Amino acid sequence: MLDRIYVALDYPSRMEADRLLDRLPQGVGVKIGLELFLREGLSYVREIKYRGYNVFLDLKFHDIPRTVYGAVSQVADSCDLLNVHAAGGLEMLKAAKEASLKAEKPPKLIAVTVLTSLNQSDWQEIGGAGALAQGAEKRALLSREAGLDGVVCSPLEAARIKALCGEEFLTVTPGIRPQSAASQDQKRTATPREAVEMGCDYLVVGRPITKAEDPARALFEIVEEMKS
Ligand code: C5P
């Protein structure tokens, strides 16, 4: 189960990130997002990978196809999982996939459908038409059409996306909140147990672990909830 969890290293520098990693068991995946990446750069990502971690580089590229092609080319060799925004459109998604395949060991490439911090009213506010869940499904189908390996989505959408796009199409889900935790800025959340039941392949967990007094224990409890 440990290898189905990515811990979000949402820290301002490697000092805090390394301190957390020292307290966690080996075998858990790590997610490096914009905050840490902009400070420590690709050399830190490579170092973490060299230290044996499975690395999800969460930079959510969203730009014109040529620019995203170039961006993916810069990082594809340094991570195991990489993402772009499905909202960038079919051509952008295809360009990202093409660039990722040039790496010696291509990472899995996934697309963010709709951020899990948005709910239905936020979706309408940014011009989304109809139900947010349908928008997420449409973007998942588009990502599959472009040849991507899966999507980042809400756990609440995972089962439907699997049914539409196929069992092997990966669902990577943030917005995971153990029963006892607060939802914070996440709006489409599920517990670890619900996420597994709904068919999520990988769970991204940040604050419920990083802000815990005992992060290893918090991780262990999440694994136990997943097993139950
Ligand atoms: O602290 P929390 O568990 O909410 O962290 C979730 C992590 O997943 C954050 O690093 C956030 O950037 C990331 N993420 C997300 N929603 C997406 C894609 C990534 O929350 N659609």
Side-chain angles (χ1 to χ4, degrees):
M1 285 289 177
L2 213 49
D3 59 356
R4 288 178 64 185
I5 298 179
Y6 283 101
V7 179
L9 298 181
D10 292 328
Y11 291 113
S13 77
R14 60 178 295 160
M15 195 181 75
E16 295 88 350
D18 284 342
R19 199 180 293 148
L20 178 79
L21 290 178
D22 284 344
R23 299 178 72 184
L24 294 181
Q26 275 280 347
V28 72
V30 301
K31 183 179 83 68
I32 296 178
L34 283 167
E35 184 182 9
L36 189 56
F37 181 80
L38 290 173
R39 171 73 171 259
E40 305 293 353
L42 205 52
S43 62
Y44 183 64
V45 178
R46 290 203 182 112
E47 185 188 316
I48 292 277
K49 201 164 146 49
Y50 184 72
R51 276 154 62 181
Y53 289 98
N54 198 302
V55 176
F56 173 12
L57 189 55
D58 178 20
L59 301 181
K60 300 189 185 73
F61 295 135
H62 185 184
D63 210 312
I64 59 171
R66 173 63 191 84
T67 302
V68 168
Y69 181 95
V72 170
S73 305
Q74 293 289 354
V75 300
D77 265 322
S78 310
C79 57
D80 303 286
L81 186 63
L82 179 67
N83 62 2
V84 296
H85 267 287
L90 188 60
E91 286 313 309
M92 190 211 81
L93 293 168
K94 283 183 178 169
K97 184 65 187 176
E98 195 187 328
S100 75
L101 291 176
K102 295 239 153 74
E104 203 177 298
K105 191 172 168 284
K108 298 260 185 234
L109 185 68
I110 58 178
V112 176
T113 52
V114 179
L115 292 169
T116 45
S117 54
L118 302 182
N119 62 18
Q120 180 65 34
S121 83
D122 303 317
W123 171 246
Q124 274 154 356
E125 199 171 73
I126 58 166
L132 183 158
Q134 268 170 11
E137 287 164 16
K138 240 180 163 167
R139 290 181 182 184
L141 281 167
L142 196 71
S143 306
R144 195 193 56 169
E145 190 184 335
L148 268 65
D149 301 289
V151 284
V152 186
C153 64
S154 156
L156 309 177
E157 288 137 20
R160 178 91 182 114
I161 287 175
K162 285 262 181 202
L164 281 172
C165 300
E167 251 325 290
E168 70 296 340
F169 195 69
L170 298 176
T171 52
V172 179
T173 56
I176 301 298
R177 291 294 176 267
Q179 244 153 8
S180 53
S183 64
Q184 289 138 332
D185 55 355
Q186 297 284 20
K187 295 183 182 159
R188 287 155 37 237
T189 62
T191 66
R193 180 189 173 151
E194 288 164 345
V196 170
E197 278 170 0
M198 290 185 281
C200 305
D201 295 300
Y202 295 100
L203 279 55
V204 174
V205 190
R207 288 159 291 180
I209 292 173
T210 58
K211 300 277 185 227
E213 217 161 277
D214 183 345
R217 191 188 164 83
L219 175 61
F220 175 75
E221 283 171 3
I222 289 170
V223 170
E224 286 304 303
E225 270 195 53
M226 286 167 77
K227 283 187 193 156
S228 70

